[in-house]
Amino acid sequence: MRDIVIVGCGYVGERLARQYLERGDSVLGLVRSRSGQERLAAAGIPAVRHDLTGADPMPGSLAGTRLFHLAPPPAQGQEDLHTRRLVASFDQAGHPRRLVYISTTGVYGDCGGAWVDEDWPTLPTLDRSRRRLDAEECLRRWSREHGGELIVLRVAGIYGPGRLPLERLKRGLPLVRPEEAPYSNRIHVDDLVAVCVAAMERGRHGAIFNVSDGQPSTMTDYFIRIAESAGLPRPPLITMAEASAHLSEGMMGYMSESRRLSNRRLREDLGVELQYPTLSEGLAQALGEQGLHGPTMV
């Protein structure tokens, strides 16, 4: 088994694996599907298939590895059975010596637009966030009982090349007008990868880090900025009272929570200097990598 193991080696994990490979580290990605394994193989990333929804044994040893847990929880319920199965597999496959888990800032719930640091109480209001908190607590129990080191990253909305809502903007779907929209937070995927590496190398055992660029805005402002940068029409705006008739259940969930994330601990304790500290810089990179160059786009 490799020294670096990435469970759930998808959009973020592939970029993380590439960074470690470029540094000369030994890496293995775990993916659920054959297509995922083929995608990683095409990128030169060693990978094996393992489905956390099943009972098959882990393919190989995890003893003493540095493990990134990026696999999403189940789509339903309040418990993360995937994380529970992963932890149970350690008894057979061996226990990692250090584990970095990507959680969500949704574990804080609705904070009324307040500035939130890592000491803010966790009061998730949505089941998808309750599943993430369940995973955190499961991993903390594992760490206490088996001595493995654990660092939790509570990550804001991830954006980057191939991860922008361009299709939604092209379809002209509405958004809540800015004066009524809640605060939201985000992080560029390459900055998230840098944070993952720093957390694995320098994170204090048991630490929790908010991962965001520290520049919160409303989700509506985020979409408008993307539209302007990509040369697309601005989305039509509606009132919050009209939203439930026009927005999906998932989008309404995002509209029900408002918080502004402090990333001070990230910068001071991990010493991470963000490559894309503002949305302007991050969008320029993301659209440029996709070959889209602003208002001239067709």
Side-chain angles (χ1 to χ4, degrees), residues 118 198 202 209-210 262-274:
E118 293 83 354
R202 302 190 294 276
F209 296 96
N210 288 341
S262 167
N263 66 1
R264 180 187 59 81
R265 182 180 294 180
L266 175 76
R267 292 179 286 106
E268 295 182 359
D269 290 12
L270 287 182
V272 172
E273 183 175 344
L274 298 179

Side-chain angles (χ1 to χ4, degrees), residues 8-255:
C9 196
Y11 179 69
V12 176
E14 182 175 338
R15 297 172 92 93
L16 179 60
R18 278 202 228 103
Q19 181 149 329
Y20 273 109
L21 288 171
E22 289 169 3
R23 290 167 34 151
D25 290 289
S26 180
V27 178
L28 183 69
L30 268 66
V31 291
R32 180 177 178 180
S33 67
R34 183 178 302 278
S35 61
Q37 187 177 17
E38 292 171 350
R39 170 181 50 81
L40 293 181
I45 300 169
V48 296
R49 292 174 61 191
H50 182 66
D51 190 348
L52 292 175
T53 67
D56 291 339
M58 184 68 64
S61 173
L62 296 176
T65 59
R66 293 178 289 166
L67 187 146
F68 291 94
H69 178 16
L70 279 59
Q76 304 293 329
Q78 297 187 10
E79 298 177 346
D80 184 352
L81 300 180
H82 297 171
T83 294
R84 295 183 181 211
R85 291 190 182 107
L86 176 64
V87 168
S89 76
F90 294 163
D91 287 337
Q92 167 263 322
H95 293 268
R97 63 183 171 90
R98 195 163 171 85
L99 190 154
V100 172
Y101 173 58
I102 286 193
S103 183
T104 175
T105 61
V107 298
Y108 297 118
D110 179 28
C111 305
W115 281 97
V116 173
D117 65 13
E118 293 83 354
D119 295 323
W120 193 276
T122 52
L123 295 168
T125 57
L126 303 173
D127 279 352
R128 61 175 175 245
S129 301
R130 294 187 180 105
R131 293 190 288 270
R132 292 290 190 175
L133 185 59
D134 180 71
E136 287 189 23
E137 292 169 347
C138 175
L139 291 167
R140 276 190 276 271
R141 286 194 299 272
W142 161 76
S143 178
R144 286 194 302 269
E145 293 171 4
H146 297 279
E149 297 182 351
L150 173 67
I151 300 94
V152 172
L153 305 180
R154 291 177 175 162
V155 180
I158 304 166
Y159 75 99
R163 189 63 73 88
L164 297 174
L166 298 177
E167 289 304 313
R168 193 182 196 284
L169 288 166
K170 290 176 183 177
R171 291 166 60 194
L173 298 178
L175 289 169
V176 172
R177 59 188 187 181
E179 57 269 29
E180 292 187 84
Y183 282 108
S184 63
N185 307 265
R186 58 205 54 86
I187 188 73
H188 189 284
V189 62
D190 290 341
D191 282 330
L192 173 56
V193 166
V195 171
C196 285
V197 173
M200 184 62 81
E201 292 182 351
R202 302 190 294 276
R204 175 180 51 83
H205 166 48
I208 298 169
F209 296 96
N210 288 341
V211 184
S212 79
D213 61 15
Q215 302 291 324
S217 65
T218 68
M219 185 173 293
T220 302
D221 175 70
Y222 173 61
F223 276 76
I224 289 173
R225 295 280 300 281
I226 293 171
E228 291 174 344
S229 297
L232 293 170
R234 287 187 172 203
L237 302 177
I238 58 177
T239 66
M240 185 66 82
E242 298 171 306
S244 61
H246 295 277
L247 302 182
S248 68
E249 182 180 352
M251 183 65 80
M252 285 301 297
Y254 288 116
M255 291 291 109

